[in-house]
Amino acid sequence: MDQMINVVQPSLGERELAAVREVFASNWVGRGPRTAAFEEAFARHLGVGPEHVTATNSCSSATFVAADLLGVGPGDEVVLPTVSFVAAGNAIAGRGARPVFCDVDEATLNPTVADVEAVLTERTKAVIILHYGGRPGAVAEIAELCRDRGIRLVEDAALAIASTVDGRACGTFGDMGLWSFDHAKMVVTVDGGMLYVRDPELAAQASKIAYLGLEQRAAGSTGLFHSGYDQALRSPTRWWDYDVVSFTGRSTTNDVLSAIGLVQLSRLAEFVARRREVARAYDEGLSDVAGLRLPPPLPAGQTSSYFMYWVQFEDDIRDRVARDLLERGIYTTFRYPLMHQVAAYGSRAVLPRAEAAADRTLLLPIHQALSDADVDRVITEVRSCVAARPAPAAF
Ligand SMILES: *Cc1c(COP(=O)(O)O)cnc(C)c1O
């Protein structure tokens, strides 16, 4: 059989290894200068000041830091699209607040502003949206709605690292933004995340919450810089004293991972360009398949990270096509199982457009390492699997 084509895949190579080797040679592998440089580079990528961003050990842990900053708790509601990652639901429910799920657009799987507005109540403290597949969606309109109502907006921009609306980075429209650098994302540090916080005071809190709530007492403290030697030189008396400002865990990253992130971030534009080519090839190669719907064109002024490419089936054949493709060495999947149907969250919502989309949507392989031959093979096999009719039942 031909080699398996994966739905996502990292591109890590010699440059990343060389960067790791340099960190090893420096004898400082903890959080230090490379992490500061990664935060600065990421802030520049977003078009914000470095004091607004904090590198974390995952996007999920950044979500929990964001929930602490929001101060959500019992009696509060937090709205999120039912097509969301489980970290957001857990960060809300784990603090005793109630996650309230809204419906999404059937074609884009992003919530519309009306979907969000429909479930706001006087108890709504925050809204957490994501940009499905890397498409910005109605983020600008939803941010305006939240501002008008005095509700905080958090953007889970894990899939939208290079997505923009009118030149502005997704993740910076609301009060906070979150990114992931895990093994399956576009910029991969193996595990890692980033948190953007608009309010400067809250942003300063974020870095403390991310490190056990520690606040060093020494004057001129470098805060999260863990290099004790560096700290001691700055403040040569009792540099070891600290206070505790929150009872939180440790969500910080280290210079080994940040060094990988710096190299990966420098390659991002090239990754996005290749993914755009793959998406265009699917658009062209699959546009005439009967019974198959492709993602709608991007609205004017928006750019996508092309993190996901999906097709939707008019007939009830999604699961069969996925199985047939797997047999032919093409791995596909669906993200994200609907949160309002996860029993633990206790939702009784009925969200018909999301439910219809979740039964008909299939994510095709898209990543920067796909060759033209891989892309052609996916197109050929998808066409063939859709055309295949199940054998008539035997009597
Ligand atoms: C991957 C992902 C996360 C979680 O990221 P981790 O870094 O693995 O914790 C959060 N949200 C979305 C939309 C994701 O795809």
Side-chain angles (χ1 to χ4, degrees), residues 58-61 85 130 156 158-159 180-182 185 192 336:
S58 74
C59 178
S60 298
S61 59
F85 187 69
L130 73 82
D156 176 348
L159 313 177
S180 171
F181 313 124
D182 79 18
K185 299 305 195 302
Y336 296 88

Side-chain angles (χ1 to χ4, degrees), residues 121-182:
T121 72
E122 72 280 358
R123 291 211 182 101
T124 310
K125 189 144 187 182
V127 171
I128 306 179
I129 58 164
L130 73 82
H131 316 86
Y132 189 76
R135 294 173 65 110
V139 60
E141 294 82 356
I142 292 170
E144 196 183 331
L145 170 71
C146 289
R147 244 187 337 268
D148 288 350
R149 300 279 189 99
I151 294 167
R152 299 269 195 188
L153 175 64
V154 179
E155 295 174 70
D156 176 348
L159 313 177
I161 188 166
S163 308
T164 60
V165 180
D166 297 330
R168 185 158 159 196
C170 283
T172 66
F173 282 82
D175 299 282
M176 298 175 207
L178 315 157
W179 292 263
S180 171
F181 313 124
D182 79 18

Side-chain angles (χ1 to χ4, degrees), residues 24-233:
F24 281 15
S26 78
N27 268 337
W28 183 261
V29 293
R31 186 193 159 95
R34 266 119 184 142
T35 301
F38 186 38
E39 288 174 340
E40 269 167 39
F42 200 81
R44 218 175 310 120
H45 165 70
L46 297 177
V48 303
E51 67 280 12
H52 293 277
V53 304
T54 304
T56 61
N57 53 5
S58 74
C59 178
S60 298
S61 59
T63 313
F64 281 74
V65 174
D68 281 329
L69 291 171
L70 292 170
V72 296
D76 294 329
E77 293 179 354
V78 179
V79 166
L80 58 168
T82 187
V83 181
S84 287
F85 187 69
V86 69
N90 285 2
I92 298 159
R95 278 157 182 74
R98 194 164 87 88
V100 174
F101 302 108
C102 75
D103 214 344
V104 297
D105 175 74
E106 208 174 321
T108 64
L109 284 85
N110 268 326
T112 65
V113 68
D115 289 326
V116 172
E117 192 164 18
V119 294
L120 297 181
T121 72
E122 72 280 358
R123 291 211 182 101
T124 310
K125 189 144 187 182
V127 171
I128 306 179
I129 58 164
L130 73 82
H131 316 86
Y132 189 76
R135 294 173 65 110
V139 60
E141 294 82 356
I142 292 170
E144 196 183 331
L145 170 71
C146 289
R147 244 187 337 268
D148 288 350
R149 300 279 189 99
I151 294 167
R152 299 269 195 188
L153 175 64
V154 179
E155 295 174 70
D156 176 348
L159 313 177
I161 188 166
S163 308
T164 60
V165 180
D166 297 330
R168 185 158 159 196
C170 283
T172 66
F173 282 82
D175 299 282
M176 298 175 207
L178 315 157
W179 292 263
S180 171
F181 313 124
D182 79 18
H183 65 104
K185 299 305 195 302
M186 286 170 69
V187 163
V188 172
T189 62
V190 187
D191 267 318
M194 196 70 80
L195 171 64
Y196 158 79
V197 181
R198 175 192 304 280
D199 180 272
E201 273 171 41
L202 277 185
Q205 284 293 109
S207 57
K208 291 173 195 162
I209 288 173
Y211 192 56
L212 298 155
L214 295 189
E215 189 172 67
Q216 281 172 297
R217 281 197 199 137
S221 165
T222 50
L224 276 174
F225 265 94
H226 298 172
S227 165
Y229 179 66
D230 184 65
Q231 181 63 58
L233 287 178

